[in-house]
Amino acid sequence: MTLIAERPTAGFLQLYQKDDDALRTELSEGLLAPQAATSPKFLYDALGSKLFEAICELPEYYPTRTEAAIFDTHLSDIVESAGQGGVLIDLGAGNCAKAARLFPVLRPRDYVPVDISVDFLRGAVEGLRQRFPRIRMTGLGMDFSRSLALPAFVPEDGRLFFYPGSSIGNFAPEQALSLLTAMRTACGDDGGLLIGVDLAKDARLLNAAYDDALGVTASFNLNLLRHLNGLLGADFDVRDWRHRAFWNPAQGRVEMHLEARRHVVVRWQGGQRHFREGERIHTENSYKYTRQGFLQLLERAGFPAARTWTDEREWFLVCHARAARG
């Protein structure tokens, strides 16, 4: 499905429209579930996005620098596989820095960064348009986890979806399959996917990456409560909660939770919940894959042809996958 929309002259199109009633319903149902939970997308308000930038600079958080090293080491092979001059569609673009590093070699004719954190993305796009005036850029404010329907002004030929940072791990495997299948549909028969995937490894490394010594990841997780207060009119007190993160080997994922430090009653518009001391709100999963396991997932999604690159320690995987001919 392709949305009909003219290319905006300002270089930004807002497709994500916050439905306050639906948002409150989603959040309230999550908080009232037997295992309270929220979607990880709510971690990324303006402050959350900046805190995640800081996380990527931490020594414990290996994915960002390991992925960057793979690109540096294998750049010519990656460009040979992915091609040049296409339409680079950057999912969960954030500050757009990862894509911008590839502009000189991929030489996209169009760049379409997509993110739900609208204000953060808008500023990033404006800065990039000044630096790379020859690339047509249009930021899309949209929730691509719900739909990958792109506006008609996004050229259909030569689409390359770019999804770095192992953000695919935030989705359970079947949800990841649905998203990858949507990418396959949207990229057409001559398109492809360039994606970063975190690989399963020693639990000590994984636990440290999501619970750093400086407490930046804790701040990122706790900031969710401030965001919920604004979205729901809730009365969470950050001081009542602590960050918990750990590797769950049975599920093949790192889990992040917020744990009540004491008995507390949280109220919001239209609802409330009593949290016992030690009770948790599940805020994020980060699934880890084996190389073969992820390639099988790609094949199921319609990407049977893939090339992969990894670091010497095999901590992280970069993959370029071509769409199967229809």
Side-chain angles (χ1 to χ4, degrees), residues 64-79:
T64 302
R65 64 177 180 274
T66 307
E67 182 181 51
I70 293 170
F71 274 103
D72 289 344
T73 302
H74 301 284
L75 190 57
S76 61
D77 288 339
I78 292 171
V79 173

Side-chain angles (χ1 to χ4, degrees), residues 103-124:
F103 286 172
V105 289
L106 288 180
R107 301 175 185 173
R109 67 180 188 274
D110 283 84
Y111 175 55
V112 184
V114 181
D115 207 292
I116 196 172
S117 186
V118 175
D119 294 336
F120 192 70
L121 178 62
R122 192 189 305 270

Side-chain angles (χ1 to χ4, degrees), residues 11-91:
F12 193 92
L13 180 62
Q14 173 66 31
L15 295 179
Y16 172 69
Q17 301 296 332
K18 186 171 70 173
D19 183 332
D20 290 337
D21 289 339
L23 196 64
R24 282 193 290 267
T25 298
E26 176 185 355
L27 288 169
S28 184
E29 288 178 350
L31 291 172
L32 292 173
Q35 166 61 75
T38 60
S39 168
K41 67 187 177 185
F42 295 113
L43 292 163
Y44 295 93
D45 64 348
L47 178 56
S49 296
K50 291 177 180 177
L51 285 168
F52 185 72
E53 279 190 343
I55 288 170
C56 293
E57 299 295 326
L58 295 170
E60 296 97 329
Y61 195 75
Y62 62 85
T64 302
R65 64 177 180 274
T66 307
E67 182 181 51
I70 293 170
F71 274 103
D72 289 344
T73 302
H74 301 284
L75 190 57
S76 61
D77 288 339
I78 292 171
V79 173
E80 178 188 5
S81 182
Q84 295 177 314
V87 180
L88 188 63
I89 303 169
D90 187 1
L91 299 181

Side-chain angles (χ1 to χ4, degrees), residues 165-183:
S166 200
S167 296
I168 192 69
N170 290 149
F171 299 90
E174 288 304 312
Q175 295 173 324
L177 176 61
S178 296
L179 179 57
L180 291 168
T181 302
M183 291 184 204

